[in-house]
Amino acid sequence: MFSKSKINEPGPKQAEATPTAAPAAPSTPAAPVSDYKPSAPKAKPPASLLSSDLHITGNLKTSGDIQVEGTVEGDIRAHLLTVGETATIKGEVIADDVVVNGRVVGRVRGLKVRLTATARVEGDIIHKTIAIESGAHFEGSVQRQDDPLTPGGKKAAPIAPPAAAAPAPSAAVKAATAAAKADS
């Protein structure tokens, strides 16, 4: 009835097909024959490496990872930025994860920022979480924000004074009021 060789061959065209069995019920459509074979998900590409003899003037932007060992004069935006011990970055750094082993002159914005013992940062750090190892050199301010990646990011739960509240009476006003009540 069926031969083994026909299983691996493409199916015959509709006009050439000869019915060898009872026709299928009209409610069940025939499954299309396809050579599609599911493949494993693509692996994440390795980090882009900017070697120690490389000097870049300009901005870098990627959705991937960057490891800088050379010098960059410009802003960098990446998913993961690793600043090597021999690296110098002069500009703003924005990344989900920032690991600084070398020198950064400029603002650092990241969800996770880590300054290792060999880090030298001259500029402000805006972060969600931060770790500064003993021996790291840092000059600037540190500010926590819930969303540090956006320039006007949402600050972490500031305590605001009550809106449109009447000022509290001073001690002198309280004393005068108490004296007036005592006289009456």
Side-chain angles (χ1 to χ4, degrees):
M1 189 174 203
F2 294 106
S3 68
K4 193 170 188 176
S5 63
K6 289 186 178 181
I7 291 175
N8 294 330
E9 293 177 4
K13 293 181 183 174
Q14 191 66 17
E16 298 174 5
T18 55
T20 56
S27 63
T28 56
V33 176
S34 153
D35 291 335
Y36 173 75
K37 294 179 184 176
S39 62
K42 293 183 179 179
K44 185 177 173 186
S48 298
L49 176 63
L50 306 179
S51 67
S52 60
D53 63 340
L54 189 62
H55 180 93
I56 294 178
T57 302
N59 299 334
L60 303 174
K61 184 176 181 182
T62 181
S63 59
D65 303 345
I66 299 178
Q67 180 175 344
V68 178
E69 296 294 336
T71 303
V72 176
E73 292 183 26
D75 300 341
I76 299 177
R77 180 159 189 133
H79 171 68
L80 166 66
L81 174 66
T82 304
V83 180
E85 287 186 32
T86 61
T88 299
I89 297 174
K90 294 180 180 177
E92 184 175 30
V93 169
I94 302 172
D96 292 341
D97 294 327
V98 181
V99 179
V100 181
N101 299 306
R103 183 170 184 225
V104 176
V105 179
R107 180 182 296 150
V108 176
R109 301 175 83 88
L111 295 174
K112 291 187 222 173
V113 177
R114 188 173 125 213
L115 307 183
T116 64
T118 58
R120 295 185 59 83
V121 176
E122 299 170 30
D124 298 339
I125 298 177
I126 301 170
H127 64 89
K128 189 167 184 181
T129 61
I130 189 166
I132 302 176
E133 293 181 6
S134 178
H137 176 82
F138 170 62
E139 291 182 30
S141 67
V142 178
Q143 182 180 14
R144 186 192 180 287
Q145 288 186 356
D146 286 334
D147 187 12
L149 301 182
T150 56
K154 185 179 169 186
K155 293 183 181 179
I159 299 174
S170 66
V173 172
K174 288 181 184 177
T177 306
K181 286 183 181 179
D183 289 339
S184 356

